[in-house]
Amino acid sequence: MDSDFGAARELSDLQKLRSQYHPQLPPCLQGTTVRVEFGDATTAPDLADAHTISRFFPHTYGQPLAHFLRATAKVPNAQVITEHPAVRVGVVFCGRQSPGGHNVIWGLLDALKVHIPKSTLLGFLGGSEGLSAQKTLEITDDILATYKNQGGYDLLGRTKDQIRTTEQVTAALNACTDLKLDALVIIGGVTSNTDAAQLAETFAERKCPTKVVGIPVTLNGDLKNQFVESNVGFDTICKVNSQLISNVCTDALSAEKYYYFIRLMGRKASHVALECTLQSHPNMVILAEEVAASKLTLFDITKQICDAVQARAEQDKYHGVILLPEGLIESIPEVYALLQEIHRLLRKRVSADNISAQLSPWSSALFEFLPPFIKKQLLLHPESDDSAQLSQIETEKLLAHLVEAEMNKRLKEGTYKGKKFNAICHFFGYQARGSLPSKFDCDYAYVLGHISYHIIAAGLNGYMATVNNLKNHVNKWRCGAAPITAMLTVKRYGHGNGALTIGKPALHPATVDLKGRAYELLGQNATKFLMDDLYRNPGPLQFDGPGADAKAVTLCVEDQDYMGRIKKLQEYLDKVRSIVKPGCSQDVLKAALSAMSSVTDILSVMSSPMSANTPSKSVFPVLAATPHF
Amino acid sequence: MDSDFGAARELSDLQKLRSQYHPQLPPCLQGTTVRVEFGDATTAPDLADAHTISRFFPHTYGQPLAHFLRATAKVPNAQVITEHPAVRVGVVFCGRQSPGGHNVIWGLLDALKVHIPKSTLLGFLGGSEGLSAQKTLEITDDILATYKNQGGYDLLGRTKDQIRTTEQVTAALNACTDLKLDALVIIGGVTSNTDAAQLAETFAERKCPTKVVGIPVTLNGDLKNQFVESNVGFDTICKVNSQLISNVCTDALSAEKYYYFIRLMGRKASHVALECTLQSHPNMVILAEEVAASKLTLFDITKQICDAVQARAEQDKYHGVILLPEGLIESIPEVYALLQEIHRLLRKRVSADNISAQLSPWSSALFEFLPPFIKKQLLLHPESDDSAQLSQIETEKLLAHLVEAEMNKRLKEGTYKGKKFNAICHFFGYQARGSLPSKFDCDYAYVLGHISYHIIAAGLNGYMATVNNLKNHVNKWRCGAAPITAMLTVKRYGHGNGALTIGKPALHPATVDLKGRAYELLGQNATKFLMDDLYRNPGPLQFDGPGADAKAVTLCVEDQDYMGRIKKLQEYLDKVRSIVKPGCSQDVLKAALSAMSSVTDILSVMSSPMSANTPSKSVFPVLAATPHF
């Protein structure tokens, strides 16, 4: 099979056209000279975690931000990297495929060719397995020819495993050493970038000269924080899913007799479901974050849907479309508790057949109440990140089943007088994941690939490539790099008796911010969407003309330019320093002292690590483990 | 709800662009003058059925073909319809929605506006229900504005029922009389067009002046015969499904650990599955027609898939994509027999719980062998056309289940030494049905709408609008009309003891022609598709640039121009007549007589109704009830 990797293949006419497309570079990356400006040393997003993180990552914690600027930028401290010795770089796809991944490799190769033509780029075959086994393919422009702007990870294949155990980490280190790699670029989501941070730390500790770089590529869109606005693949996934959801909405409105329950792939967080809702305006979406925040039970959710069905029936509407994120099931308190019990028993090697008898009375009652198909799915072994196998649990069927039962009950009792409730269930995930990437994802991935080269050239280790200002045109994108350690958080689990377990620092999936603008936008429209069938059809993914340059709604409504604002703050501080130079008037100094004392007081209070003393974080890590940025 | 029909709605940018697109008319329909040429009287496709059909359809059987020609066409007998009194026309969506349906109405309205501006076009709301209840919406250009080139049937809604019972037919007749309709245009597939033929006959018999016109619109692509090359919606459905199948193929190749089993909507026949296979090149497709022709059992099919999985494992390939038409389940002999028994018991009002006990020993053994989820689905009440509820029976899960069990068995026995088999199942149907229609479907539907006007202007009753030469550019399309009675066939059911039941004449779904070129093309490539992963990704549906004008592979490879060849034959006959005029030489007459005698002898033998004497047709009506044209 390996011999097939990187093989040229026949492309369809549309694929050929797409392979001819060349993404634009933002001005800061154009030409052969790029400046690097280093910002202040970074800290952890939650100060309470800082000590733990610095203990786990002594070599890579606290490194400064890096900004890449055009050669002509007038920034006093920015360095121009002038030495470009030939480098050997390895690149590996980790975790689930996400549209656009191939373009990261293309961007990296192009940057290498521009700056150091003699360099070598090695792709690892089959992800982490290939890394351990040192199976590589040298990436050339010829090999990339039929993979540019194309979907999937089939150029190299992807990992089926993490890089986490001592054996795996050692194998990775040996591979980098044996292959004399100057850098290893890891393309993946939260789990893979946590691995990247760990590898970087281990390499630094063991004096392995290979620098590790992470690239945020995940269709879930949940690798989001101050530094990272969006992930490669999310845009495409949401567009393809929205196309299908819109088609189903049109279908519902034409047939007028079905409720469609659609579950969307996207792991624990509900970013995909929220974005698709804002693109296609289905009647209803139930976000995992809302359910967890309001502690809604399975029965609350069922009732909520039934009430909606009933309200629509009163307007003689017997159709509808309801979106459910795949993470929903874990966000329901009693189901989460049940899953935790099941997973604990599975880890104790209790066989699936015997689990039911060993559950707590409360969980056992819930478990016995559930229909057989879902019981079987809940009994599946958890994923490597300890979450349930979300893609295998048919929450849409469970809810359709419960809603049908409740509507039949209401019908019998005479509290509902409409027509019989009919549901059709769908799971949209795999059919979007292999799509041709959207223009946005092609551009974003290609630019990230370029940035990864500049991170390597600057000799940085344990950094993630970042682009800010994504909602604007490419020529306004700001490119940089942030230490992955500055994105890590620590989970604390209360055990009820005051005892506290502190987890290992990791990147945790960012959940939908219930105070954010995107969620607010949903709130403003929810009733209209529910009752008025304002279905919107963005149509199939286009590469030219209307819609081709559309960006995610959730990206555009949020004001995310954190990196820009950090720079702005630096400018203010510099300005104060330049105004209040020794020799300035007493009055100016006095004013400055007074104002600055007040600013520092306020900020000290705001950023004191109060939360470190109590396990204030929810017991549902789905939700609260990751702070909302 | 009714008040929402025809409401203007907000369109996305892409939808707006599409709503501006104006389909081209073929030359014969351009301008204000169109000639009609009548061909010879038609017969039935199977002469053995002719008598039965003429008995059921005394008023509408044997009518001539009609060809629409440009005003300047040099055809001696062609008439120009010069009188265009104002007409009142009704139009109704029957059966399942299919992309492009709205454009039939638009084409009809445009033709009415060009030829008789004072005419009235009434759309029935909610399909046959609206027809019975005389709920109408007057169609105007304003109302159509946001529905042009858009998917779904939401302008008017669609029927949930047939027009078949005496009450339904009488209600339709009353509606046409009360509303003073000159014509009723029925948009639908095989069932609805059978209803159209019946309505036309009844109207003629009862001297109702309303003419009935049928339009072939069905995503299944199974309303195919000498006169009808393709159906509106089939092109779009296959393109959208092929996009998704290709995405799944890319996914399979990237993850390298799953077999995807994809069931495709399309009713009994496998046209959609065959077309999607030729567009996207998955590893395997199992056509219902092949299974029925070879009388493959469930175990044969399972073995066939397992052998393929094993052969691929030997090449270290543990992924693959397998397509299954939804009609597959009914084509498996023993499952079909089981379904027939179940349906017979259901009709006797045996409750689902008691059916198992009353099955024949053979069917009972099969039934008990099946997993619970599929048992439940097989026990569903049959559809109005007596077939099983194909969209509800998860054949893909059944086969994945059986293949997994067999692979585990082989693994245990040591005959298979590869990795564990993993399957993911999909059903693609509803998410394609509401799509924006492809350019082809927009054009085809619009032209059919125009033709329906010319059928009405020519005063024809019980005709279907036809376009031939579809694989060529619109300016080579040939427009005509054929009596629906000329497309009807009669099913004969043998009862084993020589007794024979003769069914009512009907349009039956055309099955995939196992002697046709499209199937031959599949045969030539099947092994390569299976082993070499020649996945082809046509990409998402485009409206401009590469792929936008692509037509169905099955349409392009078949040489279908039956109407053209019928015309060619007429030309030969006319030429013979003009050469062998009274006064010609003895030699010429002798040669003509000799040649013509030989021709007529051969044709008499070839078209003798031998099949009328024996129930030579298979007991599986899925397959053999409809002759392959």
Side-chain angles (χ1 to χ4, degrees):
Chain A
M1 184 60 213
D2 290 346
S3 57
D4 285 356
F5 283 122
R9 65 244 174 107
E10 203 157 317
L11 299 183
S12 71
D13 290 346
L14 182 63
Q15 284 183 301
K16 270 183 213 154
L17 181 80
R18 289 305 297 156
S19 74
Q20 304 300 321
Y21 171 76
H22 205 297
Q24 199 186 323
L25 281 179
C28 62
L29 299 184
Q30 289 171 11
T32 51
T33 314
V34 170
R35 279 171 187 268
V36 192
E37 180 198 11
F38 289 101
D40 286 332
T42 53
T43 177
D46 188 336
L47 282 182
D49 298 340
H51 178 68
T52 311
I53 299 170
S54 69
R55 201 158 44 84
F56 274 100
F57 295 90
H59 300 83
T60 50
Y61 177 72
Q63 300 186 95
L65 291 185
H67 305 278
F68 299 106
L69 310 170
R70 53 177 115 185
T72 55
K74 289 197 181 67
V75 176
N77 303 332
Q79 306 168 15
V80 172
I81 309 284
T82 46
E83 295 221 359
H84 291 282
V87 289
R88 291 172 62 82
V89 179
V91 61
V92 61
F93 284 128
C94 288
R96 298 181 168 83
Q97 51 272 32
S98 191
H102 287 140
N103 273 27
V104 176
I105 298 182
W106 180 24
L108 174 55
L109 183 71
D110 272 7
L112 284 169
K113 282 195 306 182
V114 169
H115 296 278
I116 358 171
K118 281 169 302 176
S119 297
T120 306
L121 180 59
L122 297 177
F124 287 101
L125 298 178
S128 56
E129 276 181 20
L131 178 61
S132 293
Q134 307 190 18
K135 282 199 268 188
T136 61
L137 172 75
E138 182 165 351
I139 309 283
T140 62
D141 217 46
D142 274 354
I143 280 180
L144 274 181
T146 56
Y147 292 89
K148 291 174 181 175
N149 304 308
Q150 310 294 324
Y153 278 5
D154 44 331
L155 171 70
L156 299 175
R158 69 158 163 104
T159 193
K160 287 164 200 79
D161 218 340
Q162 302 181 338
I163 316 172
R164 187 148 296 183
T165 66
T166 312
E167 293 75 34
Q168 287 165 340
V169 171
T170 305
L173 191 142
N174 290 341
C176 292
T177 311
D178 292 353
L179 295 167
K180 298 189 175 44
L181 294 188
D182 298 287
L184 174 66
V185 176
I186 291 180
I187 298 173
V190 285
T191 309
S192 309
N193 278 287
T194 301
D195 289 352
Q198 187 54 60
L199 270 191
E201 178 64 28
T202 307
F203 284 14
E205 184 195 326
R206 301 208 206 158
K207 311 230 181 307
C208 166
T210 311
K211 310 298 180 198
V212 182
V213 178
I215 310 285
V217 179
T218 167
L219 63 93
N220 307 326
D222 58 0
L223 205 176
K224 253 172 129 172
N225 52 48
Q226 315 93 303
F227 312 107
V228 182
E229 293 181 3
S230 190
N231 308 139
V232 173
F234 178 73
D235 186 69
T236 307
I237 293 296
C238 291
K239 281 177 177 156
V240 176
N241 280 337
S242 294
Q243 168 199 2
L244 301 180
I245 293 163
S246 307
N247 289 353
V248 169
C249 289
T250 303
D251 201 70
L253 198 53
S254 301
E256 298 189 85
K257 55 179 182 179
Y258 294 121
Y259 273 88
Y260 292 90
F261 285 63
I262 304 176
R263 181 167 48 108
L264 295 170
M265 187 180 269
R267 307 288 301 146
K268 294 184 177 193
S270 309
H271 300 288
V272 173
L274 176 58
E275 176 62 31
C276 291
T277 302
L278 295 175
Q279 284 191 26
S280 60
H281 305 181
N283 297 99
M284 207 170 179
V285 62
I286 299 175
L287 301 181
E289 290 81 351
E290 282 179 320
V291 168
S294 308
K295 302 212 190 313
L296 297 181
T297 66
L298 206 47
F299 307 96
D300 294 333
I301 300 171
T302 305
K303 186 174 174 300
Q304 205 171 312
I305 300 175
C306 288
D307 291 348
V309 168
Q310 190 152 351
R312 287 178 57 82
E314 278 157 23
Q315 294 192 10
D316 207 21
K317 290 178 181 169
Y318 293 97
H319 63 274
V321 176
I322 300 172
L323 301 191
L324 310 167
E326 66 175 5
L328 178 63
I329 192 79
E330 270 198 338
S331 73
I332 304 170
E334 76 273 21
V335 181
Y336 179 74
L338 169 62
L339 280 167
Q340 291 295 95
E341 284 193 35
I342 291 174
H343 294 171
R344 202 156 47 232
L345 291 167
L346 285 171
R347 273 192 296 267
K348 285 188 190 163
R349 298 186 186 280
V350 176
S351 82
D353 294 339
N354 297 325
I355 280 184
S356 171
Q358 300 191 35
L359 291 171
S360 68
W362 169 247
S363 287
S364 175
L366 172 64
F367 190 72
E368 290 312 320
F369 160 81
L370 295 171
F373 73 89
I374 206 97
K375 279 188 193 170
K376 216 165 145 186
Q377 293 162 357
L378 294 179
L379 288 174
L380 292 170
H381 274 266
E383 303 250 8
S384 51
D385 66 352
D386 279 343
S387 69
Q389 286 197 32
L390 297 177
S391 57
Q392 305 300 321
I393 302 180
E394 298 173 305
T395 320
E396 72 284 15
K397 287 200 180 164
L398 173 61
L399 282 174
H401 172 90
L402 295 176
V403 169
E404 190 181 356
E406 169 67 17
M407 292 313 297
N408 287 342
K409 189 168 146 261
R410 293 185 184 188
L411 202 59
K412 219 169 166 179
E413 290 170 352
T415 50
Y416 168 67
K417 297 180 202 313
K419 294 185 198 169
K420 198 182 168 320
F421 168 85
N422 289 308
I424 292 178
C425 295
H426 281 294
F427 174 47
F428 290 166
Y430 300 100
Q431 58 267 63
R433 219 166 61 169
S435 172
L436 280 175
S438 66
K439 274 178 76 182
F440 176 83
D441 278 330
C442 289
D443 295 348
Y444 184 28
Y446 181 81
V447 170
L448 286 171
H450 259 266
I451 296 173
S452 67
Y453 163 73
H454 292 288
I455 295 175
I456 297 165
L460 303 176
N461 182 33
Y463 276 67
M464 189 182 291
T466 65
V467 179
N468 288 90
N469 239 345
L470 281 171
K471 65 179 169 185
N472 293 314
H473 189 268
V474 178
N475 62 23
K476 295 200 169 161
W477 285 5
R478 271 201 281 272
C479 300
I484 304 176
T485 50
M487 307 173 189
L488 303 180
T489 49
V490 178
K491 278 193 201 173
R492 290 174 178 75
Y493 307 92
H495 297 293
N497 54 358
L500 204 63
T501 309
I502 295 182
K504 222 181 145 183
L507 277 168
H508 293 112
T511 53
V512 167
D513 182 359
L514 299 183
K515 291 187 195 122
R517 292 201 195 164
Y519 183 68
E520 195 186 325
L521 190 61
L522 174 65
Q524 287 159 1
N525 289 288
T527 312
K528 279 183 285 175
F529 287 175
L530 175 60
M531 298 307 297
D532 300 346
D533 298 349
L534 299 177
Y535 304 142
R536 184 177 169 278
N537 192 338
L541 187 60
Q542 300 295 294
F543 302 103
D544 209 4
D549 290 304
K551 289 180 184 175
V553 181
T554 46
L555 178 69
C556 295
V557 298
E558 298 284 359
D559 185 22
Q560 291 179 314
D561 189 14
Y562 183 89
M563 300 279 269
R565 291 203 299 264
I566 280 276
K567 287 204 68 187
K568 190 89 196 156
L569 178 73
Q570 276 186 327
E571 285 166 29
Y572 278 122
L573 296 176
D574 289 346
K575 205 157 186 182
V576 172
R577 195 168 282 132
S578 75
I579 295 172
V580 198
K581 276 192 177 147
C584 70
S585 78
Q586 281 279 8
D587 288 351
V588 168
L589 181 58
K590 201 172 161 189
L593 277 177
S594 155
M596 293 304 289
S597 145
S598 145
V599 166
T600 48
D601 279 354
I602 294 169
L603 296 178
S604 301
V605 171
M606 282 180 67
S607 56
S608 79
M610 282 190 306
S611 58
N613 303 322
T614 49
S616 70
K617 292 179 179 179
S618 154
V619 291
F620 305 113
V622 184
L623 260 196
T626 313
H628 301 303
F629 304 114
Chain B
M1 183 59 215
D2 288 348
S3 58
D4 285 357
F5 282 124
R9 65 243 174 108
E10 204 157 315
L11 299 182
S12 70
D13 290 346
L14 182 63
Q15 284 184 300
K16 270 184 213 152
L17 182 80
R18 290 305 297 156
S19 74
Q20 304 300 323
Y21 170 76
H22 204 297
Q24 199 185 325
L25 280 179
C28 62
L29 300 185
Q30 290 171 10
T32 51
T33 313
V34 170
R35 279 170 186 268
V36 192
E37 181 196 12
F38 289 101
D40 287 331
T42 54
T43 178
D46 188 335
L47 281 182
D49 298 340
H51 178 67
T52 312
I53 298 170
S54 69
R55 200 157 45 82
F56 275 99
F57 296 88
H59 299 83
T60 50
Y61 178 73
Q63 299 187 95
L65 290 186
H67 305 278
F68 299 105
L69 311 170
R70 55 176 115 188
T72 54
K74 289 200 182 64
V75 176
N77 303 332
Q79 307 167 11
V80 172
I81 310 282
T82 45
E83 297 220 1
H84 290 282
V87 288
R88 290 172 63 80
V89 179
V91 62
V92 60
F93 285 128
C94 290
R96 298 182 168 82
Q97 52 271 35
S98 192
H102 287 140
N103 272 26
V104 175
I105 298 182
W106 180 25
L108 174 53
L109 182 72
D110 273 6
L112 284 169
K113 283 196 306 182
V114 168
H115 297 279
I116 359 172
K118 282 170 301 176
S119 298
T120 306
L121 181 58
L122 297 177
F124 286 101
L125 299 178
S128 56
E129 276 180 20
L131 179 60
S132 294
Q134 307 190 17
K135 282 199 268 189
T136 61
L137 172 76
E138 182 166 350
I139 309 282
T140 62
D141 216 46
D142 274 355
I143 280 180
L144 273 180
T146 56
Y147 293 88
K148 291 175 180 174
N149 304 309
Q150 309 296 323
Y153 278 5
D154 43 331
L155 172 68
L156 299 176
R158 69 158 163 104
T159 195
K160 287 163 199 78
D161 217 341
Q162 302 182 340
I163 317 174
R164 187 147 297 184
T165 66
T166 313
E167 292 76 34
Q168 288 165 339
V169 170
T170 305
L173 191 142
N174 289 342
C176 292
T177 310
D178 293 352
L179 296 166
K180 298 190 175 41
L181 294 187
D182 297 288
L184 175 66
V185 176
I186 290 179
I187 298 173
V190 284
T191 310
S192 309
N193 278 288
T194 301
D195 289 351
Q198 188 55 60
L199 270 192
E201 179 64 28
T202 308
F203 284 13
E205 185 197 323
R206 301 209 207 157
K207 310 231 182 307
C208 165
T210 311
K211 310 299 181 198
V212 182
V213 178
I215 311 284
V217 178
T218 166
L219 63 93
N220 307 326
D222 58 0
L223 204 175
K224 252 172 129 173
N225 53 48
Q226 314 93 302
F227 311 108
V228 183
E229 293 182 2
S230 191
N231 308 138
V232 173
F234 178 73
D235 186 68
T236 307
I237 292 296
C238 292
K239 281 177 177 157
V240 176
N241 280 338
S242 295
Q243 167 200 1
L244 301 180
I245 293 163
S246 307
N247 289 353
V248 169
C249 290
T250 303
D251 202 70
L253 198 54
S254 301
E256 297 189 87
K257 56 180 180 177
Y258 294 121
Y259 272 88
Y260 292 89
F261 285 63
I262 303 176
R263 180 166 51 107
L264 295 169
M265 187 181 268
R267 309 285 305 146
K268 295 184 176 193
S270 310
H271 300 288
V272 173
L274 177 57
E275 176 62 33
C276 290
T277 302
L278 295 174
Q279 284 191 26
S280 60
H281 305 180
N283 297 101
M284 207 171 179
V285 62
I286 299 175
L287 301 181
E289 290 81 352
E290 281 178 319
V291 168
S294 308
K295 300 211 190 317
L296 297 182
T297 66
L298 207 45
F299 307 95
D300 294 334
I301 299 170
T302 306
K303 185 175 176 299
Q304 206 171 313
I305 300 175
C306 288
D307 291 349
V309 169
Q310 189 152 353
R312 288 177 58 82
E314 278 158 23
Q315 294 192 10
D316 207 21
K317 290 177 181 170
Y318 292 96
H319 63 274
V321 177
I322 300 172
L323 301 191
L324 311 167
E326 66 176 5
L328 177 63
I329 192 78
E330 269 199 338
S331 73
I332 304 169
E334 75 273 21
V335 180
Y336 180 74
L338 169 61
L339 279 167
Q340 291 294 94
E341 285 194 35
I342 291 174
H343 293 170
R344 202 157 46 231
L345 292 168
L346 285 172
R347 273 192 295 269
K348 285 188 191 164
R349 298 184 185 282
V350 176
S351 83
D353 294 339
N354 298 325
I355 281 184
S356 171
Q358 300 192 32
L359 292 170
S360 68
W362 169 247
S363 287
S364 174
L366 172 62
F367 190 72
E368 291 312 319
F369 161 80
L370 295 170
F373 74 90
I374 206 97
K375 278 187 194 170
K376 216 164 143 186
Q377 293 162 356
L378 293 179
L379 288 174
L380 292 171
H381 273 266
E383 303 250 10
S384 51
D385 66 350
D386 280 343
S387 68
Q389 287 197 30
L390 298 175
S391 57
Q392 305 301 320
I393 302 180
E394 297 173 305
T395 319
E396 73 284 16
K397 287 200 180 165
L398 173 62
L399 282 173
H401 172 91
L402 295 176
V403 168
E404 189 180 358
E406 170 68 17
M407 291 313 297
N408 287 344
K409 188 168 149 259
R410 292 186 185 187
L411 201 61
K412 217 166 168 183
E413 289 170 352
T415 50
Y416 168 66
K417 298 181 201 312
K419 295 186 197 168
K420 195 177 171 326
F421 168 85
N422 289 308
I424 292 180
C425 295
H426 282 292
F427 175 46
F428 290 167
Y430 299 100
Q431 58 267 64
R433 220 166 60 167
S435 172
L436 280 174
S438 67
K439 274 179 76 181
F440 175 82
D441 278 329
C442 289
D443 295 349
Y444 185 26
Y446 181 81
V447 170
L448 286 172
H450 260 267
I451 296 173
S452 66
Y453 163 73
H454 292 289
I455 294 176
I456 296 166
L460 304 176
N461 182 32
Y463 276 68
M464 190 182 292
T466 64
V467 179
N468 288 87
N469 240 344
L470 281 171
K471 66 179 169 186
N472 292 315
H473 189 269
V474 179
N475 62 24
K476 294 200 170 162
W477 285 6
R478 272 201 281 272
C479 300
I484 304 176
T485 50
M487 307 172 189
L488 302 180
T489 49
V490 178
K491 278 193 199 173
R492 291 175 178 75
Y493 307 92
H495 298 291
N497 55 359
L500 205 62
T501 308
I502 295 183
K504 220 181 146 183
L507 277 167
H508 292 113
T511 52
V512 167
D513 182 359
L514 298 183
K515 291 185 193 125
R517 291 201 196 163
Y519 183 70
E520 194 186 323
L521 190 62
L522 175 66
Q524 286 160 359
N525 289 287
T527 312
K528 277 183 286 175
F529 286 175
L530 175 61
M531 298 308 295
D532 300 344
D533 298 348
L534 299 177
Y535 304 143
R536 185 178 169 276
N537 192 337
L541 186 59
Q542 301 295 295
F543 302 103
D544 208 5
D549 292 304
K551 289 180 185 175
V553 181
T554 47
L555 178 69
C556 295
V557 298
E558 298 285 358
D559 185 20
Q560 291 179 315
D561 188 14
Y562 183 89
M563 300 278 268
R565 291 203 299 263
I566 280 275
K567 287 204 66 185
K568 191 89 199 158
L569 179 73
Q570 275 186 327
E571 285 166 28
Y572 278 123
L573 295 176
D574 289 345
K575 203 155 185 183
V576 171
R577 197 168 280 133
S578 76
I579 295 174
V580 198
K581 276 191 178 150
C584 71
S585 78
Q586 283 279 8
D587 288 350
V588 169
L589 181 59
K590 200 170 161 188
L593 278 177
S594 153
M596 292 306 288
S597 144
S598 144
V599 167
T600 49
D601 280 353
I602 295 169
L603 296 179
S604 303
V605 170
M606 282 180 65
S607 55
S608 78
M610 283 189 305
S611 56
N613 303 321
T614 49
S616 70
K617 291 179 180 180
S618 155
V619 289
F620 306 112
V622 184
L623 257 194
T626 313
H628 300 302
F629 302 116

